[in-house]
Amino acid sequence: MHIEQTALEGVFILTPQRFGDIRGFFSESWNRQRMADAGLDYDWVQDNHSLSAQAGTVRGLHCQAPPHAQDKLVRCGRGALFDVAVDIRKGSPSYGQWVGVDLTFENGRQLLVPAGFLHGFVTRAPDTEIIYKCSDNYAPDCDRAVRFDSPEIGIDWGLDAPAILSDKDRNAPTLAQFDSPFTYEGPIA
Protein backbone atom coordinates (compact mmCIF):
# COMPACT_ATOMS: atom_id res chain seq x y z
CA MET A 1 0.00 0.00 0.00
CA HIS A 2 1.37 3.36 -1.00
CA ILE A 3 0.39 6.08 1.53
CA GLU A 4 0.68 9.72 0.49
CA GLN A 5 0.08 12.68 2.84
CA THR A 6 -1.84 15.46 1.07
CA ALA A 7 -1.45 19.20 1.66
CA LEU A 8 -4.04 18.88 4.45
CA GLU A 9 -2.86 17.29 7.66
CA GLY A 10 -4.63 13.98 8.28
CA VAL A 11 -5.97 13.59 4.72
CA PHE A 12 -4.20 10.78 2.86
CA ILE A 13 -4.25 9.18 -0.57
CA LEU A 14 -3.97 5.40 -0.28
CA THR A 15 -3.06 3.38 -3.35
CA PRO A 16 -3.31 -0.37 -2.82
CA GLN A 17 -0.99 -2.63 -4.74
CA ARG A 18 -2.71 -4.70 -7.42
CA PHE A 19 -1.63 -8.25 -8.19
CA GLY A 20 -2.73 -9.11 -11.70
CA ASP A 21 -2.71 -12.01 -14.10
CA ILE A 22 -4.81 -13.15 -17.05
CA ARG A 23 -7.91 -13.35 -14.82
CA GLY A 24 -7.72 -9.72 -13.68
CA PHE A 25 -6.31 -8.49 -10.38
CA PHE A 26 -6.50 -8.84 -6.61
CA SER A 27 -6.08 -5.85 -4.30
CA GLU A 28 -6.25 -5.43 -0.54
CA SER A 29 -8.10 -2.12 -0.07
CA TRP A 30 -7.66 -2.05 3.72
CA ASN A 31 -5.65 -4.03 6.25
CA ARG A 32 -6.21 -2.92 9.85
CA GLN A 33 -2.82 -4.07 11.17
CA ARG A 34 -0.74 -2.67 8.29
CA MET A 35 -2.52 0.65 8.46
CA ALA A 36 -2.20 0.84 12.26
CA ASP A 37 1.54 0.17 11.84
CA ALA A 38 1.56 3.20 9.50
CA GLY A 39 -0.25 5.35 12.11
CA LEU A 40 -3.68 5.05 10.49
CA ASP A 41 -5.78 3.29 13.10
CA TYR A 42 -9.46 3.36 12.12
CA ASP A 43 -12.41 1.19 13.09
CA TRP A 44 -14.81 0.98 10.15
CA VAL A 45 -18.41 0.17 11.09
CA GLN A 46 -20.35 0.89 7.90
CA ASP A 47 -19.74 0.47 4.17
CA ASN A 48 -21.68 2.65 1.71
CA HIS A 49 -22.09 2.25 -2.04
CA SER A 50 -23.67 4.87 -4.28
CA LEU A 51 -24.24 5.14 -8.02
CA SER A 52 -24.39 8.42 -9.90
CA ALA A 53 -26.02 7.88 -13.29
CA GLN A 54 -24.78 11.06 -14.97
CA ALA A 55 -21.39 12.74 -15.28
CA GLY A 56 -21.45 16.12 -13.54
CA THR A 57 -23.33 14.85 -10.49
CA VAL A 58 -22.09 16.58 -7.33
CA ARG A 59 -22.67 15.05 -3.91
CA GLY A 60 -21.56 17.17 -1.00
CA LEU A 61 -20.10 18.85 0.73
CA HIS A 62 -21.14 16.68 3.69
CA CYS A 63 -20.04 15.76 7.20
CA GLN A 64 -21.55 14.22 10.27
CA ALA A 65 -21.29 16.19 13.53
CA PRO A 66 -20.26 14.80 16.92
CA PRO A 67 -21.16 12.64 18.72
CA HIS A 68 -21.41 10.66 15.45
CA ALA A 69 -18.59 12.26 13.46
CA GLN A 70 -17.29 10.03 10.69
CA ASP A 71 -13.91 9.28 9.20
CA LYS A 72 -14.31 8.06 5.60
CA LEU A 73 -12.24 6.00 3.21
CA VAL A 74 -13.50 6.62 -0.33
CA ARG A 75 -12.79 4.74 -3.56
CA CYS A 76 -14.28 4.39 -7.03
CA GLY A 77 -15.73 1.00 -7.95
CA ARG A 78 -16.55 1.95 -11.55
CA GLY A 79 -16.20 5.11 -13.60
CA ALA A 80 -14.37 8.23 -12.44
CA LEU A 81 -14.81 10.98 -9.87
CA PHE A 82 -13.01 13.99 -8.43
CA ASP A 83 -13.06 13.58 -4.64
CA VAL A 84 -12.63 16.51 -2.25
CA ALA A 85 -11.91 17.07 1.47
CA VAL A 86 -12.28 20.50 3.12
CA ASP A 87 -10.92 21.35 6.58
CA ILE A 88 -13.70 22.75 8.81
CA ARG A 89 -12.01 22.51 12.20
CA LYS A 90 -12.35 25.93 13.88
CA GLY A 91 -8.89 27.32 14.70
CA SER A 92 -7.12 25.03 12.23
CA PRO A 93 -4.24 26.61 10.28
CA SER A 94 -5.85 25.14 7.15
CA TYR A 95 -9.50 26.00 7.91
CA GLY A 96 -11.49 26.29 4.66
CA GLN A 97 -8.69 24.82 2.53
CA TRP A 98 -9.35 21.84 0.30
CA VAL A 99 -7.59 19.02 -1.51
CA GLY A 100 -8.96 17.02 -4.40
CA VAL A 101 -7.90 13.81 -6.09
CA ASP A 102 -9.09 11.89 -9.13
CA LEU A 103 -10.36 8.46 -8.13
CA THR A 104 -11.01 5.96 -10.89
CA PHE A 105 -11.48 2.24 -11.16
CA GLU A 106 -8.25 2.16 -13.17
CA ASN A 107 -6.01 4.05 -10.74
CA GLY A 108 -7.39 2.29 -7.64
CA ARG A 109 -6.65 5.30 -5.43
CA GLN A 110 -8.57 5.98 -2.22
CA LEU A 111 -9.02 9.19 -0.21
CA LEU A 112 -8.95 9.01 3.59
CA VAL A 113 -11.07 11.87 4.95
CA PRO A 114 -10.92 12.24 8.76
CA ALA A 115 -13.68 13.66 10.95
CA GLY A 116 -13.54 17.45 10.98
CA PHE A 117 -13.46 17.64 7.18
CA LEU A 118 -16.26 18.08 4.68
CA HIS A 119 -16.39 15.49 1.92
CA GLY A 120 -17.79 15.76 -1.58
CA PHE A 121 -17.26 14.62 -5.14
CA VAL A 122 -18.22 15.21 -8.74
CA THR A 123 -18.60 12.35 -11.19
CA ARG A 124 -16.55 12.49 -14.39
CA ALA A 125 -18.23 9.54 -16.14
CA PRO A 126 -21.74 8.09 -16.38
CA ASP A 127 -22.69 5.28 -14.00
CA THR A 128 -19.92 6.03 -11.52
CA GLU A 129 -19.94 3.92 -8.38
CA ILE A 130 -18.54 5.30 -5.13
CA ILE A 131 -17.70 2.89 -2.32
CA TYR A 132 -16.70 4.18 1.09
CA LYS A 133 -16.12 3.04 4.64
CA CYS A 134 -17.31 5.06 7.65
CA SER A 135 -16.12 4.98 11.25
CA ASP A 136 -19.60 5.66 12.69
CA ASN A 137 -23.12 4.77 11.62
CA TYR A 138 -25.31 7.23 9.76
CA ALA A 139 -27.11 9.54 12.21
CA PRO A 140 -29.62 11.81 10.39
CA ASP A 141 -29.75 14.29 13.30
CA CYS A 142 -25.98 14.84 12.95
CA ASP A 143 -25.97 15.18 9.15
CA ARG A 144 -24.56 18.52 7.94
CA ALA A 145 -23.91 20.08 4.52
CA VAL A 146 -22.16 23.08 2.99
CA ARG A 147 -22.67 24.35 -0.58
CA PHE A 148 -20.26 22.76 -3.02
CA ASP A 149 -19.67 26.13 -4.70
CA SER A 150 -19.05 28.19 -1.55
CA PRO A 151 -16.92 31.15 -2.68
CA GLU A 152 -14.93 31.02 0.59
CA ILE A 153 -13.62 27.60 -0.41
CA GLY A 154 -13.21 28.08 -4.16
CA ILE A 155 -13.10 24.46 -5.31
CA ASP A 156 -12.48 24.02 -9.04
CA TRP A 157 -14.87 21.17 -9.80
CA GLY A 158 -14.03 21.19 -13.52
CA LEU A 159 -17.69 21.39 -14.52
CA ASP A 160 -18.63 22.29 -18.11
CA ALA A 161 -22.36 22.47 -17.33
CA PRO A 162 -24.49 23.15 -14.25
CA ALA A 163 -23.98 20.57 -11.50
CA ILE A 164 -26.60 17.88 -10.99
CA LEU A 165 -27.57 18.31 -7.31
CA SER A 166 -30.02 17.05 -4.72
CA ASP A 167 -32.34 19.59 -3.09
CA LYS A 168 -30.36 19.15 0.14
CA ASP A 169 -27.10 20.12 -1.57
CA ARG A 170 -28.67 22.93 -3.62
CA ASN A 171 -30.10 24.52 -0.44
CA ALA A 172 -27.08 24.01 1.84
CA PRO A 173 -25.47 27.09 3.45
CA THR A 174 -22.15 28.49 2.29
CA LEU A 175 -19.10 27.96 4.48
CA ALA A 176 -19.45 31.55 5.77
CA GLN A 177 -23.00 30.73 6.95
CA PHE A 178 -22.02 27.36 8.46
CA ASP A 179 -21.29 26.97 12.17
CA SER A 180 -18.79 24.13 12.25
CA PRO A 181 -19.20 21.63 15.10
CA PHE A 182 -15.46 20.79 14.94
CA THR A 183 -12.52 22.43 16.70
CA TYR A 184 -8.85 22.00 15.85
CA GLU A 185 -7.13 20.00 18.59
CA GLY A 186 -3.66 19.69 17.10
CA PRO A 187 -2.13 17.38 14.54
CA ILE A 188 -4.04 14.33 13.25
CA ALA A 189 -2.30 11.00 12.59
Side-chain angles (χ1 to χ4, degrees):
M1 174 87 63
H2 178 72
I3 302 171
E4 176 186 347
Q5 171 68 60
T6 68
L8 293 181
E9 164 197 15
V11 179
F12 293 90
I13 299 169
L14 307 179
T15 308
Q17 186 175 3
R18 288 182 172 177
F19 302 93
D21 60 26
I22 61 170
R23 300 167 296 168
F25 72 84
F26 170 83
S27 179
E28 191 174 81
S29 61
W30 180 262
N31 179 301
R32 173 177 279 183
Q33 186 58 55
R34 287 189 187 144
M35 294 298 99
D37 292 346
L40 302 175
D41 194 11
Y42 291 90
D43 184 21
W44 305 117
V45 300
Q46 180 176 315
D47 275 0
N48 297 334
H49 185 162
S50 74
L51 171 73
S52 293
Q54 298 178 44
T57 298
V58 174
R59 294 183 189 242
L61 300 163
H62 302 151
C63 71
Q64 201 163 275
H68 297 288
Q70 293 177 323
D71 306 294
K72 295 178 181 178
L73 180 62
V74 185
R75 64 187 170 99
C76 181
R78 173 175 58 164
L81 62 117
F82 181 65
D83 205 40
V84 174
V86 181
D87 188 349
I88 56 165
R89 298 168 298 155
K90 292 177 182 175
S92 168
S94 58
Y95 181 85
Q97 295 179 22
W98 64 277
V99 295
V101 61
D102 289 310
L103 305 180
T104 67
F105 170 77
E106 290 77 19
N107 71 23
R109 299 170 101 189
Q110 304 176 95
L111 188 64
L112 179 62
V113 182
F117 289 75
L118 293 166
H119 171 252
F121 60 84
V122 61
T123 57
R124 299 278 194 234
D127 297 322
T128 293
E129 294 184 5
I130 299 87
I131 302 165
Y132 58 103
K133 298 180 174 308
C134 299
S135 63
D136 202 334
N137 294 303
Y138 176 64
D141 56 320
C142 295
D143 192 25
R144 304 288 186 272
V146 169
R147 283 220 23 124
F148 81 101
D149 58 355
S150 288
E152 308 85 3
I153 304 171
I155 298 169
D156 179 2
W157 294 97
L159 291 166
D160 295 330
I164 300 165
L165 300 166
S166 68
D167 286 341
K168 169 188 163 181
D169 291 342
R170 183 178 297 104
N171 297 318
T174 65
L175 183 62
Q177 299 165 327
F178 180 71
D179 183 19
S180 178
F182 297 98
T183 302
Y184 180 70
E185 296 177 6
I188 299 174

